[in-house]
Amino acid sequence: MAYIYDNGKFRQMIPHKRIERLMELYDVYCRTKDPDARLFLVGSISEVPEYYTYLEEYRKKLGYKENQIIMTGRVAFNEMIAYYRIADAFVCMSEEEGFGMALVEAMFYHVPVVAYESGAVPETLGGSGVLLPTCKPDEIAEVLDSVIRNPATREQIITGQLRRVESFIESKPRRELIRVLESIQK
């Protein structure tokens, strides 16, 4: 199964995150690559309730059930870690993005990042992950499939991402952060 994942700014599903783009991508991916894939949308749905309603209607319009496109709402930190652990990829299609903490989290948890080139995404990724100049779902589905199914590609992306994560943190604070995150994972 493929997991296409976005947890959004401050873990919110808000309009500029363009969650509908993820749903479009998911639709193309299921039709052309993996009909058993699931899309996990992890993040708060309460900040803009009319957007959530729109997304629910869009999911239905695309013909997917709640167990195929899963909108979790706000989750606890340990649940967030669990979603990272089952994710095959973290996909960000946001049209406005500041420093993407979710991108850094995905990189830390060894989840390949595939992201649309917008806002501060290029600076956050710093040459790691997969940066896309397009939002065309058919083109992204091809890239995503390669990231998910090609172990060498996946490993190369993860290695680059881990180097990027290390660059964010000074050595002593870095060791402490890693120690804390690793203790949480156990």
Side-chain angles (χ1 to χ4, degrees), residues 99-126:
F99 180 81
M101 191 60 199
L103 300 170
V104 176
E105 290 172 351
M107 291 189 290
F108 177 84
Y109 287 107
H110 301 210
V111 180
V113 173
V114 176
Y116 174 58
E117 184 177 356
S118 69
V121 169
E123 290 79 13
T124 303
L125 291 178

Short mmCIF file of all heavy atoms in Angstrom, two decimals, residues 99-126:
data_model
loop_
_atom_site.label_atom_id
_atom_site.label_comp_id
_atom_site.label_asym_id
_atom_site.label_seq_id
_atom_site.Cartn_x
_atom_site.Cartn_y
_atom_site.Cartn_z
N PHE A 99 8.47 27.83 6.76
CA PHE A 99 9.35 26.74 7.15
C PHE A 99 8.48 25.53 7.42
O PHE A 99 7.59 25.57 8.27
CB PHE A 99 10.18 27.10 8.37
CG PHE A 99 11.09 26.00 8.80
CD1 PHE A 99 12.30 25.81 8.15
CD2 PHE A 99 10.74 25.13 9.82
CE1 PHE A 99 13.14 24.78 8.53
CE2 PHE A 99 11.57 24.10 10.20
CZ PHE A 99 12.79 23.93 9.55
N GLY A 100 8.70 24.45 6.73
CA GLY A 100 7.84 23.27 6.82
C GLY A 100 8.30 22.30 7.88
O GLY A 100 9.06 21.38 7.58
N MET A 101 7.83 22.49 9.10
CA MET A 101 8.22 21.57 10.17
C MET A 101 7.80 20.14 9.86
O MET A 101 8.52 19.20 10.17
CB MET A 101 7.60 22.04 11.50
CG MET A 101 8.14 21.32 12.68
SD MET A 101 9.94 21.58 12.79
CE MET A 101 10.40 20.24 13.83
N ALA A 102 6.64 19.98 9.23
CA ALA A 102 6.20 18.63 8.86
C ALA A 102 7.17 17.98 7.88
O ALA A 102 7.39 16.77 7.93
CB ALA A 102 4.79 18.68 8.26
N LEU A 103 7.76 18.78 7.00
CA LEU A 103 8.76 18.24 6.08
C LEU A 103 9.98 17.73 6.85
O LEU A 103 10.50 16.65 6.57
CB LEU A 103 9.20 19.32 5.08
CG LEU A 103 8.12 19.92 4.19
CD1 LEU A 103 8.66 21.13 3.45
CD2 LEU A 103 7.56 18.89 3.24
N VAL A 104 10.40 18.51 7.84
CA VAL A 104 11.56 18.11 8.66
C VAL A 104 11.22 16.86 9.46
O VAL A 104 12.05 15.94 9.56
CB VAL A 104 12.00 19.27 9.58
CG1 VAL A 104 13.14 18.83 10.50
CG2 VAL A 104 12.43 20.47 8.75
N GLU A 105 10.03 16.80 10.01
CA GLU A 105 9.62 15.60 10.76
C GLU A 105 9.65 14.37 9.85
O GLU A 105 10.17 13.33 10.24
CB GLU A 105 8.21 15.78 11.33
CG GLU A 105 8.11 16.78 12.43
CD GLU A 105 6.68 17.08 12.83
OE1 GLU A 105 5.73 16.64 12.14
OE2 GLU A 105 6.51 17.77 13.84
N ALA A 106 9.09 14.49 8.67
CA ALA A 106 9.08 13.36 7.74
C ALA A 106 10.51 12.93 7.42
O ALA A 106 10.82 11.73 7.41
CB ALA A 106 8.33 13.72 6.46
N MET A 107 11.38 13.91 7.18
CA MET A 107 12.78 13.57 6.89
C MET A 107 13.40 12.84 8.07
O MET A 107 14.11 11.85 7.89
CB MET A 107 13.57 14.83 6.54
CG MET A 107 13.18 15.44 5.21
SD MET A 107 14.26 16.79 4.65
CE MET A 107 13.87 18.11 5.79
N PHE A 108 13.15 13.34 9.29
CA PHE A 108 13.72 12.71 10.48
C PHE A 108 13.26 11.26 10.62
O PHE A 108 14.04 10.39 11.00
CB PHE A 108 13.35 13.49 11.74
CG PHE A 108 13.85 12.84 12.99
CD1 PHE A 108 15.16 13.07 13.41
CD2 PHE A 108 13.06 11.98 13.74
CE1 PHE A 108 15.65 12.46 14.55
CE2 PHE A 108 13.55 11.37 14.88
CZ PHE A 108 14.85 11.60 15.28
N TYR A 109 12.00 10.99 10.31
CA TYR A 109 11.45 9.65 10.46
C TYR A 109 11.64 8.78 9.23
O TYR A 109 10.97 7.76 9.07
CB TYR A 109 9.97 9.72 10.87
CG TYR A 109 9.83 10.15 12.30
CD1 TYR A 109 9.37 11.42 12.62
CD2 TYR A 109 10.20 9.31 13.34
CE1 TYR A 109 9.26 11.83 13.95
CE2 TYR A 109 10.10 9.71 14.66
CZ TYR A 109 9.62 10.97 14.95
OH TYR A 109 9.53 11.37 16.26
N HIS A 110 12.56 9.16 8.35
CA HIS A 110 12.96 8.36 7.19
C HIS A 110 11.82 8.16 6.20
O HIS A 110 11.70 7.09 5.59
CB HIS A 110 13.51 7.00 7.62
CG HIS A 110 14.69 7.09 8.52
ND1 HIS A 110 15.66 6.13 8.53
CD2 HIS A 110 15.09 8.01 9.44
CE1 HIS A 110 16.60 6.46 9.42
NE2 HIS A 110 16.25 7.60 9.97
N VAL A 111 11.00 9.18 6.02
CA VAL A 111 9.91 9.13 5.04
C VAL A 111 10.29 10.03 3.87
O VAL A 111 10.50 11.22 4.05
CB VAL A 111 8.58 9.61 5.66
CG1 VAL A 111 7.46 9.55 4.64
CG2 VAL A 111 8.23 8.80 6.90
N PRO A 112 10.40 9.47 2.67
CA PRO A 112 10.74 10.29 1.51
C PRO A 112 9.72 11.40 1.31
O PRO A 112 8.52 11.17 1.37
CB PRO A 112 10.71 9.31 0.34
CG PRO A 112 10.76 7.97 0.94
CD PRO A 112 10.17 8.07 2.30
N VAL A 113 10.22 12.60 1.09
CA VAL A 113 9.37 13.76 0.89
C VAL A 113 9.28 14.07 -0.60
O VAL A 113 10.30 14.15 -1.29
CB VAL A 113 9.92 14.99 1.64
CG1 VAL A 113 9.13 16.25 1.29
CG2 VAL A 113 9.92 14.75 3.15
N VAL A 114 8.06 14.24 -1.08
CA VAL A 114 7.77 14.69 -2.43
C VAL A 114 6.95 15.95 -2.26
O VAL A 114 5.88 15.91 -1.66
CB VAL A 114 6.98 13.62 -3.22
CG1 VAL A 114 6.61 14.12 -4.60
CG2 VAL A 114 7.77 12.31 -3.30
N ALA A 115 7.46 17.09 -2.75
CA ALA A 115 6.80 18.35 -2.47
C ALA A 115 6.77 19.28 -3.67
O ALA A 115 7.73 19.34 -4.44
CB ALA A 115 7.51 19.05 -1.31
N TYR A 116 5.67 19.99 -3.77
CA TYR A 116 5.53 21.04 -4.78
C TYR A 116 6.42 22.22 -4.40
O TYR A 116 6.49 22.61 -3.24
CB TYR A 116 4.06 21.46 -4.88
CG TYR A 116 3.81 22.63 -5.79
CD1 TYR A 116 4.18 22.58 -7.14
CD2 TYR A 116 3.20 23.77 -5.31
CE1 TYR A 116 3.95 23.66 -7.97
CE2 TYR A 116 2.96 24.85 -6.16
CZ TYR A 116 3.34 24.79 -7.48
OH TYR A 116 3.11 25.86 -8.30
N GLU A 117 7.10 22.75 -5.37
CA GLU A 117 8.04 23.84 -5.17
C GLU A 117 7.28 25.15 -4.94
O GLU A 117 6.92 25.85 -5.88
CB GLU A 117 8.93 23.95 -6.42
CG GLU A 117 10.02 24.96 -6.32
CD GLU A 117 10.89 24.95 -7.55
OE1 GLU A 117 10.70 24.11 -8.45
OE2 GLU A 117 11.78 25.81 -7.62
N SER A 118 7.02 25.47 -3.68
CA SER A 118 6.31 26.70 -3.35
C SER A 118 6.83 27.25 -2.03
O SER A 118 7.34 26.51 -1.19
CB SER A 118 4.80 26.46 -3.25
OG SER A 118 4.51 25.67 -2.12
N GLY A 119 6.69 28.54 -1.86
CA GLY A 119 7.09 29.18 -0.61
C GLY A 119 8.49 28.78 -0.19
O GLY A 119 9.43 28.79 -0.99
N ALA A 120 8.62 28.41 1.08
CA ALA A 120 9.92 28.06 1.64
C ALA A 120 10.23 26.56 1.54
O ALA A 120 11.20 26.09 2.14
CB ALA A 120 9.99 28.51 3.09
N VAL A 121 9.44 25.82 0.79
CA VAL A 121 9.69 24.37 0.65
C VAL A 121 11.10 24.11 0.12
O VAL A 121 11.82 23.28 0.69
CB VAL A 121 8.60 23.69 -0.20
CG1 VAL A 121 9.00 22.26 -0.56
CG2 VAL A 121 7.27 23.71 0.52
N PRO A 122 11.55 24.78 -0.94
CA PRO A 122 12.90 24.50 -1.43
C PRO A 122 13.97 24.75 -0.36
O PRO A 122 14.91 23.96 -0.23
CB PRO A 122 13.07 25.46 -2.61
CG PRO A 122 11.68 25.73 -3.09
CD PRO A 122 10.85 25.72 -1.83
N GLU A 123 13.82 25.83 0.40
CA GLU A 123 14.79 26.13 1.45
C GLU A 123 14.73 25.11 2.57
O GLU A 123 15.76 24.71 3.12
CB GLU A 123 14.56 27.55 2.01
CG GLU A 123 14.90 28.65 1.03
CD GLU A 123 13.81 28.90 -0.03
OE1 GLU A 123 12.68 28.40 0.12
OE2 GLU A 123 14.11 29.59 -1.02
N THR A 124 13.53 24.67 2.92
CA THR A 124 13.39 23.67 3.98
C THR A 124 14.04 22.36 3.56
O THR A 124 14.78 21.76 4.33
CB THR A 124 11.90 23.44 4.33
OG1 THR A 124 11.30 24.69 4.71
CG2 THR A 124 11.77 22.45 5.46
N LEU A 125 13.78 21.93 2.34
CA LEU A 125 14.36 20.67 1.87
C LEU A 125 15.86 20.80 1.61
O LEU A 125 16.59 19.82 1.73
CB LEU A 125 13.65 20.19 0.61
CG LEU A 125 12.20 19.72 0.78
CD1 LEU A 125 11.61 19.30 -0.56
CD2 LEU A 125 12.11 18.59 1.79
N GLY A 126 16.32 21.97 1.24
CA GLY A 126 17.75 22.19 1.05
C GLY A 126 18.42 21.20 0.12
O GLY A 126 19.51 20.72 0.40
#
